[in-house]
Amino acid sequence: MSHETQDDAAPSAITDATLVPEQWPVHAGLIGSILLMASPLLLAFVMSTQTVPEVYDITNIGAGSDGLANYLEVLTTYEMASYMLNSLVMSVVVTVGKIAVSLLAAVALVFYRFRFKNAIFFLILFTLMVPVPVRIVPLYELMAAWGWSNTLLALTGPYLASATAVFLLRQHFLSIPDSLVESAKLDGVGPLRFLWDVLIPMSRGMISGLGVITFIYAWNQYLWPLIVISDQNKQVVQVGMKYLQSVGNAGQTDWGLIMAGAVLTLLPPLVALIAFRGPLLETFGLAE
């Protein structure tokens, strides 16, 4: 009888705890903060459904009469679908290539002994101090000398090396027990097999988090593609958004089309963040 009384009392205690009046301001503040941070995205979505007169009517804050017409026009007439495909190919190639190069570099820095290893590692870190504008002119001259201008190689090649990814993977590999490494050597496991069968499975969270960060970073590139790509049909989505800014009638910018393009541009990074939020939080040490 006493057990039933305790069991019956437990749910009511939990229910009462969740309805404490003192907590209502906290929840209201959190909900208000979320809505405030999401308001630019919500406003962009609403404007993406409006016509030009509706956008310039400040009293109109509801969904517009165009519906999804702006999205269809952006994807077809203004070739946003082609720009998004180019950005997707670039982002995937950069993500896979950067992770592969960084893995090999981190393995060499942790598990191999060679002269000037520490000096090479500090030289890699030193590249983080070089601003991007300083590197653009030499990179462009290098791409032109190799004949890579206006190609996918020019878009992806300069992004395959990453000091940040090498540093994070190196620090992660340093936490792997030495006994595991010695056991692999005694079993005759080669370097590539050790990397594939041991290091990568043990670093799945770190690799996934770096992959998400790299994908979003590559997707948002604007300056380098604008410089190195001359054909408009080969451009990426961020440069495509620049082309949309010139669209308008009678001197009025068509913000409906621009907002539709912005929402479409936001979707792939948002999907990546939602799908890999766990590994991303683990990478920054914020996972529960």
Side-chain angles (χ1 to χ4, degrees):
M1 186 67 179
S2 60
H3 293 291
E4 294 178 356
T5 303
Q6 293 177 358
D7 293 340
D8 293 339
S12 61
I14 295 175
T15 303
D16 294 341
T18 58
L19 296 177
V20 175
E22 289 78 3
Q23 294 181 351
W24 293 350
V26 177
H27 291 289
L30 291 174
I31 294 173
S33 300
I34 293 173
L35 292 177
L36 182 62
M37 289 185 291
S39 58
L41 178 60
L42 297 176
L43 181 61
F45 178 74
V46 170
M47 291 178 63
S48 68
T49 64
Q50 295 177 342
T51 61
V52 174
E54 290 172 342
V55 171
Y56 282 90
D57 183 5
I58 60 175
T59 62
N60 185 7
I61 59 174
S65 57
D66 268 1
L68 300 179
N70 285 336
Y71 290 91
L72 294 177
E73 186 175 358
V74 166
L75 288 173
T76 56
T77 305
Y78 297 100
E79 301 180 352
M80 185 60 70
S82 175
Y83 300 145
M84 294 182 68
L85 180 60
N86 294 338
S87 285
L88 181 63
V89 172
M90 173 191 174
S91 300
V92 171
V93 172
V94 169
T95 300
V96 175
K98 181 176 289 189
I99 294 297
V101 172
S102 300
L103 278 171
L104 295 175
V107 168
L109 290 171
V110 175
F111 300 105
Y112 285 84
R113 296 180 180 178
F114 52 89
R115 296 182 62 186
F116 309 116
K117 182 171 72 171
N118 291 332
I120 292 174
F121 175 63
F122 285 115
L123 181 62
I124 293 174
L125 293 181
F126 179 76
T127 60
L128 293 173
M129 302 175 63
V130 182
V132 173
V134 175
R135 294 177 285 175
I136 285 182
V137 174
L139 279 176
Y140 182 79
E141 293 179 350
L142 185 63
M143 296 298 105
W146 288 354
W148 287 7
S149 298
N150 202 34
T151 65
L152 180 63
L153 291 173
L155 276 178
T156 58
Y159 295 108
L160 296 184
S162 171
T164 303
V166 172
F167 172 75
L168 292 175
L169 289 172
R170 174 186 179 272
Q171 298 306 114
H172 179 71
F173 290 163
L174 288 174
S175 64
I176 295 177
D178 294 336
S179 58
L180 184 61
V181 181
E182 296 299 329
S183 299
K185 290 181 180 180
L186 292 176
D187 293 338
V189 177
L192 293 180
R193 185 183 171 189
F194 180 69
L195 172 63
W196 184 260
D197 293 340
V198 179
L199 294 179
I200 291 180
M202 293 182 65
S203 311
R204 191 170 300 168
M206 175 67 70
I207 293 173
S208 300
L210 285 175
V212 174
I213 297 172
T214 303
F215 179 87
I216 297 174
Y217 175 77
W219 181 271
N220 290 328
Q221 289 306 303
Y222 170 78
L223 182 59
W224 177 246
L226 180 65
I227 293 174
V228 80
I229 298 297
S230 56
D231 293 344
Q232 183 172 337
N233 60 349
K234 295 181 180 179
Q235 275 295 357
V236 296
V237 69
Q238 302 299 336
V239 180
M241 283 297 302
K242 180 66 176 178
Y243 297 150
L244 282 179
Q245 294 182 13
S246 61
V247 178
N249 295 315
Q252 292 182 321
T253 303
D254 196 337
W255 287 106
L257 289 178
I258 295 176
M259 290 301 125
V263 172
L264 290 173
T265 303
L266 177 66
L267 288 180
L270 183 61
V271 171
L273 280 175
I274 295 174
F276 295 96
R277 63 187 182 278
L280 184 61
L281 292 176
E282 182 181 342
T283 301
F284 291 103
L286 300 176
E288 296 181 357

